[in-house]
Amino acid sequence: DVMLVVAERLGRWRDAEAELKARGVSRIPSTVEERLVLPALEENQLRDLVGRLKHFRVSERVQMLSVESLKEEFRKRFRGDLLVTLHEVIAGQKFDDIVRGEEDEFRKQHPSFPFLYAFISAFHQFGVSVPEALLARMAGVRDGDLSNGLTFQNVLARAEESRLLAGTASGWATRHEIVAKSVFRGLGREFGKRVFLGALASLDPKASDEVAAVLSVLVSPQTRREFWGLGYAREVLEAARKTISNLDLDFAFFRYCLSRGELHTARPVFAALPAGQSRARFAQEMAIAERKRGQFVEARKLLREALGWTGDTPDAPRDTEWLHSSSGPQDVILLTEYLLFEHRRDPGSPYAAQLAGVA
């Protein structure tokens, strides 16, 4: 069967994935995610946009400029995100400058919470709302002080249902992920690192919603690549592993090390794992890394371990018998990867084709 999940915004894509999990689809065998970005706005789209802005009199600036001037602004400012472009055209400013002004206004209105906007943005840039208890501890205030003290609702929004890996919880978010990304870009590396380390120091490991929020940032496939690109992922991941006992978190740190060629760091993590299905997942990733380094003997051992096969070398009768006698579904992707590995190592051998036929 083929299932197509299509969404016009990233947030709805994540909601769709959560819905699949709620229906019991815990593991999709093969997924392909393709993100399309509009390269430019067409003439009919520009005409429609400008006409609506004029009709609803969204700002004095829009009313003053001619239709052609506004269309030209859209052309110059559009970089694939229509929401950002709309803000820039309406205000006549760069989006980051608009957001910075809102952040300054928020600080003036809430001098007791000078860094709250930044704390919330740190999480919400990844689509994750911050549970109120965790946010209060990060800000050094009581829970109720947040609910009673925040009034600048066009900047912050209370999220009644957070997008968390497990369950739902009340939390705080900016009005849009794009706003949060803009805020966090202006913080600088050191301050950004302190925010995440501060969140881990404030975390209650027994509070499932707080742990889920942190894991959503560090572990989720949708956010992992972005987080790794922040420049201080290693320090945060290492601190998180000391605070939270979670196999997915260990796997994220393990893959982070492999992605940077740091097998000397990844190997102790792998060596400490007990035998079982969880270890197989790590073994498969380690095998790929070893193969890329040209360590084919070690890669073969790891792939066979991931499959649960005995022996360090291929043996057609023994491996065929194992396939015949095994109960339950096999990991087709892993098995295919191993058979392709053996075929490339010895194209003249019938071993790979023979086992593929049995499989």
Side-chain angles (χ1 to χ4, degrees), residues 25-109:
V25 183
S26 58
R27 183 179 184 275
I28 302 175
S30 179
T31 61
V32 177
E33 180 178 331
E34 187 71 28
R35 193 176 303 179
L36 302 177
V37 179
L38 291 174
L41 294 170
E42 298 178 1
E43 182 62 29
N44 63 325
Q45 294 171 325
L46 288 171
R47 188 169 54 249
D48 186 44
L49 280 167
V50 171
R52 289 173 183 270
L53 293 179
K54 287 280 192 183
H55 174 75
F56 289 105
R57 310 177 74 86
V58 295
S59 73
E60 184 178 344
R61 181 176 189 272
V62 167
Q63 294 307 111
M64 289 176 59
L65 292 175
S66 67
V67 170
E68 288 304 316
S69 295
L70 287 169
K71 285 162 66 174
E72 184 60 27
E73 278 221 38
F74 269 109
R75 293 189 190 99
K76 289 181 178 178
R77 293 181 182 273
F78 185 72
R79 297 179 297 278
D81 196 302
L82 185 57
L83 177 64
V84 169
T85 309
L86 279 167
H87 276 287
E88 292 187 343
V89 170
I90 291 170
Q93 296 177 274
K94 291 182 179 179
F95 187 72
D96 285 352
D97 293 336
I98 296 170
V99 172
R100 195 171 297 114
E102 290 181 346
E103 184 182 9
D104 290 342
E105 185 63 26
F106 175 84
R107 290 191 183 195
K108 290 177 184 176
Q109 292 199 19

Coordinates of all heavy atoms in Angstrom, one line a residue, residues 25-109:
V25 N -0.1 3.6 13.9 CA 1.0 3.4 12.9 C 2.3 3.9 13.5 O 2.7 5.0 13.4 CB 0.7 4.2 11.6 CG1 1.7 4.0 10.5 CG2 -0.7 3.9 11.1
S26 N 2.9 3.0 14.2 CA 4.1 3.4 15.0 C 5.4 3.4 14.2 O 6.3 4.1 14.5 CB 4.3 2.4 16.2 OG 4.4 1.1 15.7
R27 N 5.4 2.6 13.1 CA 6.6 2.5 12.3 C 6.2 2.4 10.8 O 5.5 1.4 10.4 CB 7.5 1.3 12.6 CG 8.8 1.3 11.8 CD 9.6 0.1 12.3 NE 10.9 0.1 11.6 CZ 11.1 -0.4 10.4 NH1 10.1 -0.9 9.7 NH2 12.3 -0.4 9.8
I28 N 6.5 3.4 10.0 CA 6.2 3.4 8.6 C 7.5 2.8 7.9 O 8.6 3.3 8.1 CB 5.9 4.8 8.1 CG1 4.7 5.4 8.8 CG2 5.6 4.8 6.6 CD1 4.4 6.8 8.5
P29 N 7.4 1.7 7.1 CA 8.6 1.0 6.6 C 9.5 2.0 5.8 O 10.7 1.9 5.9 CB 7.9 -0.1 5.7 CG 6.6 -0.3 6.3 CD 6.1 1.0 6.8
S30 N 8.9 2.8 5.0 CA 9.7 3.6 4.1 C 9.0 5.0 3.9 O 7.8 5.0 3.5 CB 9.9 3.0 2.7 OG 10.7 3.8 1.9
T31 N 9.7 6.1 4.2 CA 9.1 7.4 4.0 C 10.0 8.3 3.1 O 11.2 8.2 3.2 CB 8.9 8.1 5.4 OG1 10.1 8.3 6.0 CG2 8.0 7.3 6.3
V32 N 9.4 9.1 2.4 CA 10.1 10.1 1.5 C 9.4 11.4 1.8 O 8.2 11.6 1.6 CB 10.0 9.8 0.0 CG1 10.7 10.9 -0.8 CG2 10.6 8.4 -0.3
E33 N 10.2 12.4 2.3 CA 9.7 13.7 2.6 C 10.3 14.7 1.6 O 11.5 14.8 1.4 CB 10.1 14.1 4.0 CG 9.6 15.5 4.4 CD 10.0 15.9 5.8 OE1 10.1 15.1 6.6 OE2 10.1 17.1 6.0
E34 N 9.4 15.3 0.9 CA 9.8 16.3 -0.1 C 9.2 17.6 0.2 O 7.9 17.7 0.3 CB 9.3 15.8 -1.5 CG 9.8 16.6 -2.7 CD 11.3 16.4 -3.0 OE1 11.8 15.3 -2.7 OE2 11.9 17.4 -3.4
R35 N 10.0 18.6 0.4 CA 9.5 19.9 0.7 C 9.7 20.8 -0.5 O 10.8 21.0 -1.1 CB 10.3 20.5 1.9 CG 9.6 21.8 2.5 CD 10.3 22.2 3.7 NE 10.4 21.2 4.7 CZ 11.1 21.3 5.9 NH1 11.7 22.5 6.2 NH2 11.1 20.3 6.7
L36 N 8.6 21.4 -1.0 CA 8.6 22.3 -2.2 C 8.5 23.7 -1.7 O 7.6 24.1 -0.9 CB 7.4 21.9 -3.1 CG 7.4 20.5 -3.6 CD1 6.2 20.2 -4.5 CD2 8.7 20.1 -4.4
V37 N 9.3 24.6 -2.3 CA 9.2 26.0 -2.0 C 8.9 26.8 -3.3 O 9.5 26.5 -4.3 CB 10.6 26.5 -1.5 CG1 10.5 28.0 -1.2 CG2 10.9 25.7 -0.2
L38 N 7.9 27.7 -3.2 CA 7.6 28.5 -4.4 C 8.8 29.3 -4.8 O 9.3 30.1 -4.0 CB 6.4 29.4 -4.1 CG 5.1 28.7 -3.9 CD1 4.0 29.8 -3.4 CD2 4.6 28.1 -5.1
P39 N 9.3 29.2 -6.1 CA 10.4 30.0 -6.5 C 10.1 31.5 -6.6 O 11.0 32.3 -6.5 CB 10.8 29.4 -7.8 CG 9.5 28.8 -8.3 CD 8.8 28.3 -7.1
A40 N 8.9 31.8 -7.0 CA 8.5 33.2 -7.3 C 7.0 33.3 -7.3 O 6.3 32.3 -7.5 CB 9.1 33.7 -8.6
L41 N 6.4 34.5 -7.1 CA 5.0 34.7 -7.2 C 4.6 35.1 -8.6 O 5.3 35.9 -9.3 CB 4.6 35.8 -6.2 CG 4.8 35.5 -4.7 CD1 4.6 36.8 -3.9 CD2 3.8 34.5 -4.3
E42 N 3.6 34.5 -9.1 CA 3.1 34.7 -10.5 C 2.3 36.0 -10.5 O 1.8 36.5 -9.5 CB 2.3 33.6 -11.0 CG 3.1 32.3 -11.1 CD 2.3 31.1 -11.6 OE1 1.1 31.3 -11.8 OE2 2.8 30.0 -11.6
E43 N 2.1 36.6 -11.7 CA 1.4 37.9 -11.8 C 0.0 37.9 -11.3 O -0.4 38.8 -10.6 CB 1.4 38.2 -13.3 CG 0.8 39.6 -13.6 CD 1.6 40.7 -13.0 OE1 2.8 40.6 -12.8 OE2 1.0 41.8 -12.7
N44 N -0.7 36.8 -11.5 CA -2.1 36.7 -11.0 C -2.1 36.6 -9.5 O -3.0 37.2 -8.8 CB -2.9 35.6 -11.6 CG -2.3 34.2 -11.3 OD1 -1.1 34.1 -11.2 ND2 -3.1 33.2 -11.1
Q45 N -1.1 36.0 -8.9 CA -1.0 35.9 -7.4 C -0.7 37.3 -6.9 O -1.3 37.7 -5.8 CB 0.1 34.9 -7.0 CG -0.3 33.5 -7.4 CD 0.9 32.5 -7.2 OE1 2.1 32.9 -7.4 NE2 0.6 31.3 -6.8
L46 N 0.2 38.0 -7.5 CA 0.6 39.3 -7.0 C -0.6 40.3 -7.1 O -0.9 41.0 -6.2 CB 1.7 39.9 -7.9 CG 3.1 39.3 -7.7 CD1 4.0 39.8 -8.8 CD2 3.6 39.6 -6.3
R47 N -1.3 40.2 -8.2 CA -2.5 41.1 -8.4 C -3.6 40.8 -7.3 O -4.2 41.7 -6.7 CB -3.1 40.8 -9.8 CG -4.2 41.8 -10.1 CD -4.6 41.7 -11.6 NE -4.9 40.3 -12.0 CZ -4.2 39.6 -12.8 NH1 -3.0 40.0 -13.3 NH2 -4.5 38.3 -13.1
D48 N -3.8 39.5 -7.0 CA -4.8 39.1 -6.0 C -4.3 39.6 -4.6 O -5.1 40.1 -3.8 CB -5.0 37.6 -6.0 CG -6.1 37.1 -5.1 OD1 -7.1 37.8 -5.1 OD2 -5.9 36.1 -4.4
L49 N -3.0 39.3 -4.3 CA -2.5 39.7 -3.0 C -2.6 41.2 -2.7 O -3.1 41.7 -1.7 CB -1.1 39.3 -2.8 CG -0.8 37.9 -2.5 CD1 0.7 37.5 -2.7 CD2 -1.2 37.6 -1.0
V50 N -2.2 42.0 -3.7 CA -2.2 43.5 -3.5 C -3.6 44.0 -3.5 O -3.9 44.9 -2.7 CB -1.4 44.1 -4.7 CG1 -1.6 45.6 -4.7 CG2 0.0 43.8 -4.6
G51 N -4.5 43.4 -4.3 CA -5.9 43.8 -4.2 C -6.6 43.6 -2.9 O -7.3 44.4 -2.4
R52 N -6.2 42.4 -2.3 CA -6.8 42.1 -0.9 C -6.2 43.1 0.1 O -6.9 43.5 1.0 CB -6.6 40.7 -0.6 CG -7.4 39.7 -1.4 CD -7.0 38.3 -1.1 NE -7.7 37.4 -2.0 CZ -8.9 36.8 -1.7 NH1 -9.5 37.1 -0.5 NH2 -9.5 36.0 -2.5
L53 N -4.9 43.3 0.1 CA -4.3 44.2 1.0 C -4.9 45.6 0.9 O -5.2 46.3 2.0 CB -2.8 44.3 0.8 CG -2.0 43.0 1.1 CD1 -0.5 43.3 0.8 CD2 -2.2 42.6 2.5
K54 N -5.1 46.1 -0.3 CA -5.8 47.4 -0.5 C -7.2 47.4 0.0 O -7.7 48.3 0.7 CB -5.7 47.7 -2.0 CG -4.4 48.1 -2.5 CD -4.1 49.6 -2.2 CE -2.9 50.1 -3.0 NZ -2.5 51.5 -2.7
H55 N -7.9 46.3 -0.3 CA -9.3 46.2 0.1 C -9.5 46.3 1.6 O -10.4 47.0 2.1 CB -9.9 45.0 -0.5 CG -11.4 44.7 -0.1 ND1 -12.4 45.4 -0.6 CD2 -11.9 43.9 0.9 CE1 -13.6 45.0 0.0 NE2 -13.3 44.1 0.9
F56 N -8.7 45.6 2.3 CA -8.8 45.5 3.8 C -8.1 46.6 4.5 O -8.1 46.6 5.7 CB -8.4 44.1 4.3 CG -9.4 43.0 3.9 CD1 -9.0 42.1 2.9 CD2 -10.6 42.9 4.6 CE1 -9.9 41.1 2.6 CE2 -11.5 41.9 4.2 CZ -11.1 41.0 3.2
R57 N -7.4 47.5 3.8 CA -6.7 48.6 4.3 C -5.9 48.2 5.5 O -6.0 48.7 6.7 CB -7.7 49.7 4.8 CG -8.8 50.1 3.7 CD -9.8 51.1 4.2 NE -9.2 52.4 4.3 CZ -9.1 53.3 3.3 NH1 -9.6 52.9 2.1 NH2 -8.6 54.4 3.5
V58 N -4.9 47.3 5.3 CA -4.2 46.7 6.3 C -3.2 47.7 7.0 O -2.8 47.4 8.1 CB -3.4 45.4 5.8 CG1 -4.4 44.4 5.4 CG2 -2.5 45.8 4.7
S59 N -2.7 48.7 6.3 CA -1.8 49.7 6.9 C -1.8 50.9 6.0 O -2.2 50.9 4.9 CB -0.4 49.1 6.9 OG 0.2 49.1 5.7
E60 N -1.5 52.0 6.7 CA -1.4 53.3 6.0 C -0.4 53.2 4.8 O -0.6 53.8 3.8 CB -1.0 54.4 7.0 CG -1.0 55.8 6.4 CD -0.7 56.9 7.4 OE1 -0.8 56.5 8.6 OE2 -0.4 58.0 7.0
R61 N 0.7 52.5 5.0 CA 1.7 52.4 4.0 C 1.2 51.8 2.8 O 1.4 52.2 1.6 CB 2.9 51.6 4.6 CG 4.0 51.5 3.6 CD 5.2 50.7 4.2 NE 6.4 50.8 3.3 CZ 6.6 49.9 2.4 NH1 5.8 48.9 2.2 NH2 7.7 50.0 1.6
V62 N 0.4 50.7 2.9 CA -0.2 50.0 1.8 C -1.1 50.9 1.0 O -1.2 50.9 -0.2 CB -0.9 48.7 2.3 CG1 -1.8 48.1 1.2 CG2 0.1 47.7 2.7
Q63 N -1.9 51.7 1.7 CA -2.8 52.6 1.1 C -2.1 53.7 0.3 O -2.6 54.1 -0.8 CB -3.8 53.2 2.1 CG -4.7 52.2 2.8 CD -5.5 51.4 1.8 OE1 -5.3 50.2 1.7 NE2 -6.4 52.0 1.1
M64 N -0.9 54.1 0.8 CA -0.2 55.2 0.1 C 0.5 54.7 -1.2 O 0.6 55.5 -2.1 CB 0.8 55.8 1.1 CG 0.2 56.6 2.2 SD 1.5 57.1 3.4 CE 2.5 58.1 2.3
L65 N 1.0 53.5 -1.2 CA 1.8 53.0 -2.3 C 0.8 52.6 -3.4 O -0.3 52.1 -3.2 CB 2.6 51.8 -1.9 CG 3.8 52.1 -1.0 CD1 4.5 50.8 -0.6 CD2 4.8 53.1 -1.6
S66 N 1.3 52.7 -4.7 CA 0.5 52.3 -5.8 C 0.5 50.8 -6.0 O 1.4 50.1 -5.3 CB 1.1 52.9 -7.1 OG 2.4 52.4 -7.4
V67 N -0.4 50.3 -6.7 CA -0.5 48.8 -7.0 C 0.8 48.3 -7.5 O 1.3 47.3 -7.1 CB -1.7 48.5 -7.9 CG1 -1.6 47.0 -8.3 CG2 -3.0 48.8 -7.2
E68 N 1.4 49.0 -8.5 CA 2.6 48.6 -9.2 C 3.8 48.6 -8.2 O 4.6 47.7 -8.2 CB 2.9 49.4 -10.4 CG 2.0 49.1 -11.6 CD 2.0 47.7 -12.0 OE1 3.1 47.1 -12.1 OE2 0.9 47.1 -12.2
S69 N 3.8 49.6 -7.3 CA 4.9 49.7 -6.3 C 4.8 48.5 -5.4 O 5.9 47.9 -5.0 CB 4.8 51.0 -5.6 OG 5.1 52.1 -6.4
L70 N 3.6 48.1 -4.9 CA 3.5 47.0 -4.0 C 3.8 45.7 -4.7 O 4.5 44.8 -4.1 CB 2.0 47.0 -3.5 CG 1.6 48.0 -2.5 CD1 0.1 48.1 -2.3 CD2 2.4 47.8 -1.2
K71 N 3.4 45.5 -5.9 CA 3.8 44.3 -6.7 C 5.3 44.2 -6.8 O 5.9 43.1 -6.6 CB 3.1 44.3 -8.0 CG 1.6 44.0 -8.0 CD 0.9 44.4 -9.2 CE 1.3 43.6 -10.4 NZ 0.4 43.9 -11.6
E72 N 6.0 45.3 -7.0 CA 7.4 45.3 -7.2 C 8.1 44.9 -5.8 O 9.1 44.2 -5.8 CB 7.9 46.6 -7.7 CG 9.4 46.7 -7.9 CD 9.9 45.6 -8.9 OE1 9.1 45.2 -9.8 OE2 11.1 45.2 -8.9
E73 N 7.5 45.4 -4.7 CA 8.0 45.1 -3.4 C 7.9 43.6 -3.1 O 8.8 42.9 -2.6 CB 7.3 45.9 -2.3 CG 7.8 47.3 -2.1 CD 7.8 47.6 -0.6 OE1 8.2 46.8 0.2 OE2 7.5 48.8 -0.3
F74 N 6.7 43.0 -3.5 CA 6.6 41.6 -3.3 C 7.6 40.8 -4.1 O 8.2 39.8 -3.6 CB 5.2 41.1 -3.8 CG 4.1 41.1 -2.7 CD1 3.1 42.1 -2.7 CD2 4.1 40.2 -1.7 CE1 2.2 42.1 -1.7 CE2 3.2 40.2 -0.7 CZ 2.2 41.2 -0.7
R75 N 7.9 41.2 -5.3 CA 8.9 40.5 -6.1 C 10.3 40.6 -5.5 O 11.0 39.6 -5.5 CB 9.0 41.2 -7.5 CG 7.7 41.0 -8.4 CD 8.0 41.4 -9.8 NE 6.7 41.5 -10.6 CZ 6.0 42.6 -10.8 NH1 6.4 43.7 -10.3 NH2 4.9 42.5 -11.5
K76 N 10.6 41.8 -5.0 CA 12.0 41.9 -4.4 C 12.1 41.2 -3.1 O 13.2 40.7 -2.7 CB 12.3 43.4 -4.2 CG 12.5 44.2 -5.5 CD 12.8 45.7 -5.2 CE 13.1 46.4 -6.5 NZ 13.3 47.9 -6.2
R77 N 11.1 41.2 -2.3 CA 11.2 40.7 -0.9 C 10.9 39.2 -0.8 O 11.3 38.5 0.2 CB 10.2 41.4 0.0 CG 10.6 42.9 0.3 CD 9.6 43.6 1.2 NE 9.9 45.0 1.4 CZ 10.8 45.4 2.4 NH1 11.4 44.6 3.1 NH2 10.9 46.7 2.5
F78 N 10.2 38.6 -1.8 CA 9.7 37.2 -1.7 C 10.9 36.3 -1.8 O 11.7 36.3 -2.7 CB 8.7 36.9 -2.8 CG 8.2 35.5 -2.6 CD1 7.3 35.2 -1.6 CD2 8.6 34.5 -3.5 CE1 6.8 33.9 -1.5 CE2 8.1 33.2 -3.4 CZ 7.2 32.9 -2.4
R79 N 11.1 35.4 -0.7 CA 12.2 34.5 -0.7 C 11.7 33.1 -0.4 O 12.4 32.2 0.2 CB 13.2 34.9 0.4 CG 13.9 36.2 0.1 CD 15.0 36.6 1.1 NE 14.3 36.8 2.4 CZ 13.7 37.9 2.8 NH1 13.7 39.0 1.9 NH2 13.2 38.1 4.0
G80 N 10.4 32.8 -0.8 CA 9.9 31.5 -0.6 C 8.9 31.4 0.6 O 8.2 30.4 0.7
D81 N 8.8 32.4 1.4 CA 7.9 32.4 2.6 C 6.9 33.5 2.5 O 7.3 34.7 2.7 CB 8.6 32.4 3.9 CG 7.7 32.0 5.1 OD1 6.7 32.6 5.2 OD2 8.1 31.0 5.8
L82 N 5.7 33.2 2.2 CA 4.7 34.3 1.9 C 4.3 35.1 3.2 O 4.2 36.3 3.1 CB 3.4 33.7 1.3 CG 2.3 34.7 0.9 CD1 2.8 35.7 -0.1 CD2 1.1 33.9 0.3
L83 N 4.3 34.4 4.3 CA 4.0 35.1 5.6 C 5.0 36.2 5.9 O 4.6 37.3 6.2 CB 3.9 34.1 6.7 CG 3.6 34.7 8.1 CD1 2.3 35.3 8.2 CD2 3.8 33.6 9.2
V84 N 6.3 35.8 5.8 CA 7.3 36.8 6.0 C 7.2 37.9 5.0 O 7.3 39.1 5.4 CB 8.7 36.1 5.9 CG1 9.8 37.1 5.9 CG2 8.9 35.1 7.0
T85 N 7.0 37.6 3.8 CA 6.9 38.7 2.7 C 5.7 39.6 3.0 O 5.9 40.9 2.9 CB 6.7 38.1 1.3 OG1 7.7 37.1 1.1 CG2 6.9 39.1 0.3
L86 N 4.6 39.1 3.4 CA 3.5 39.9 3.8 C 3.8 40.9 4.9 O 3.5 42.1 4.8 CB 2.3 39.1 4.2 CG 1.5 38.5 3.0 CD1 0.5 37.4 3.6 CD2 0.7 39.5 2.3
H87 N 4.4 40.4 5.9 CA 4.8 41.3 7.0 C 5.8 42.4 6.6 O 5.6 43.6 7.0 CB 5.5 40.5 8.1 CG 4.6 39.8 9.1 ND1 3.9 40.5 10.1 CD2 4.2 38.5 9.2 CE1 3.1 39.7 10.7 NE2 3.3 38.5 10.3
E88 N 6.7 42.0 5.7 CA 7.7 43.0 5.3 C 7.1 44.1 4.4 O 7.4 45.3 4.5 CB 8.8 42.3 4.5 CG 9.7 41.4 5.4 CD 10.9 40.9 4.7 OE1 11.0 40.9 3.5 OE2 11.9 40.5 5.5
V89 N 6.2 43.6 3.5 CA 5.5 44.6 2.6 C 4.6 45.5 3.4 O 4.6 46.8 3.1 CB 4.7 43.8 1.5 CG1 3.9 44.8 0.7 CG2 5.7 43.1 0.5
I90 N 3.9 45.0 4.3 CA 2.9 45.8 5.1 C 3.7 46.9 5.9 O 3.3 48.0 6.0 CB 2.0 44.9 5.9 CG1 1.1 44.1 5.0 CG2 1.2 45.8 6.9 CD1 0.3 43.0 5.8
A91 N 4.8 46.4 6.5 CA 5.5 47.3 7.5 C 6.6 48.1 6.8 O 7.1 49.1 7.3 CB 6.1 46.5 8.6
G92 N 7.1 47.6 5.6 CA 8.2 48.3 5.0 C 9.5 48.1 5.7 O 10.4 48.9 5.6
Q93 N 9.6 47.0 6.4 CA 10.8 46.6 7.2 C 11.2 45.2 6.9 O 10.4 44.4 6.5 CB 10.6 46.8 8.7 CG 10.4 48.2 9.1 CD 10.1 48.2 10.6 OE1 9.0 48.0 11.1 NE2 11.1 48.4 11.4
K94 N 12.5 44.8 7.2 CA 12.9 43.4 7.2 C 12.2 42.7 8.3 O 12.0 43.3 9.4 CB 14.4 43.3 7.3 CG 15.2 43.8 6.1 CD 16.7 43.6 6.3 CE 17.4 44.1 5.1 NZ 18.9 43.9 5.3
F95 N 11.9 41.4 8.1 CA 11.2 40.7 9.1 C 11.9 40.6 10.4 O 11.3 40.7 11.5 CB 10.9 39.2 8.6 CG 10.0 38.4 9.4 CD1 8.6 38.7 9.5 CD2 10.5 37.4 10.2 CE1 7.8 37.9 10.3 CE2 9.7 36.6 11.0 CZ 8.3 36.9 11.1
D96 N 13.2 40.4 10.4 CA 13.9 40.3 11.7 C 13.9 41.6 12.4 O 13.8 41.6 13.7 CB 15.4 40.0 11.4 CG 15.6 38.5 11.0 OD1 14.6 37.7 11.1 OD2 16.7 38.1 10.6
D97 N 13.8 42.7 11.7 CA 13.7 44.0 12.4 C 12.3 44.2 13.0 O 12.2 44.8 14.1 CB 14.0 45.2 11.4 CG 15.4 45.2 11.0 OD1 16.3 44.7 11.7 OD2 15.7 45.8 9.9
I98 N 11.3 43.7 12.3 CA 9.9 43.7 12.9 C 9.9 42.9 14.2 O 9.3 43.4 15.2 CB 8.9 43.2 11.9 CG1 8.9 44.1 10.6 CG2 7.5 43.1 12.5 CD1 8.1 43.5 9.5
V99 N 10.4 41.7 14.1 CA 10.3 40.9 15.3 C 11.2 41.4 16.5 O 10.8 41.4 17.6 CB 10.8 39.4 14.9 CG1 11.0 38.6 16.2 CG2 9.9 38.8 14.0
R100 N 12.3 42.0 16.1 CA 13.2 42.6 17.2 C 12.4 43.7 17.9 O 12.5 43.9 19.1 CB 14.5 43.1 16.5 CG 15.6 43.4 17.6 CD 16.9 43.7 16.9 NE 17.4 42.5 16.2 CZ 17.5 42.5 14.9 NH1 17.2 43.5 14.1 NH2 18.0 41.4 14.3
G101 N 11.7 44.5 17.1 CA 10.9 45.6 17.7 C 9.8 45.1 18.6 O 9.6 45.6 19.7
E102 N 9.2 44.0 18.2 CA 8.2 43.4 19.1 C 8.8 42.8 20.4 O 8.2 42.9 21.5 CB 7.5 42.2 18.4 CG 6.6 42.7 17.2 CD 5.9 41.5 16.5 OE1 6.3 40.4 16.7 OE2 4.9 41.8 15.8
E103 N 10.0 42.2 20.2 CA 10.7 41.7 21.4 C 11.0 42.8 22.4 O 10.9 42.7 23.6 CB 11.9 40.9 21.0 CG 12.7 40.3 22.2 CD 13.9 39.6 21.8 OE1 14.4 39.8 20.6 OE2 14.5 38.9 22.6
D104 N 11.5 43.9 21.8 CA 11.8 45.1 22.7 C 10.6 45.6 23.4 O 10.6 46.0 24.6 CB 12.4 46.2 21.8 CG 13.8 45.9 21.3 OD1 14.5 44.9 21.9 OD2 14.3 46.5 20.4
E105 N 9.5 45.7 22.7 CA 8.2 46.1 23.3 C 7.8 45.2 24.4 O 7.3 45.6 25.4 CB 7.1 46.2 22.2 CG 5.8 46.8 22.7 CD 6.0 48.3 23.1 OE1 6.9 49.0 22.7 OE2 5.1 48.7 24.0
F106 N 8.0 43.9 24.1 CA 7.6 42.9 25.1 C 8.4 43.1 26.4 O 7.9 43.0 27.5 CB 7.8 41.5 24.6 CG 7.6 40.4 25.6 CD1 6.3 39.9 25.8 CD2 8.6 39.8 26.3 CE1 6.1 38.9 26.7 CE2 8.4 38.8 27.3 CZ 7.1 38.4 27.4
R107 N 9.7 43.3 26.3 CA 10.5 43.5 27.5 C 10.1 44.8 28.2 O 10.2 44.8 29.5 CB 12.0 43.7 27.0 CG 12.6 42.4 26.5 CD 14.1 42.5 26.4 NE 14.6 41.3 25.8 CZ 15.9 41.0 25.8 NH1 16.8 41.8 26.4 NH2 16.4 39.8 25.3
K108 N 9.7 45.8 27.5 CA 9.3 47.1 28.2 C 8.0 46.8 29.0 O 7.8 47.3 30.1 CB 9.0 48.2 27.2 CG 10.3 48.7 26.5 CD 9.9 49.7 25.4 CE 11.2 50.2 24.7 NZ 10.8 51.2 23.6
Q109 N 7.1 46.0 28.4 CA 5.8 45.7 29.1 C 6.0 44.7 30.2 O 5.1 44.7 31.1 CB 4.8 45.2 28.0 CG 4.3 46.2 27.0 CD 3.0 45.9 26.3 OE1 2.3 45.0 26.8 NE2 2.8 46.5 25.2

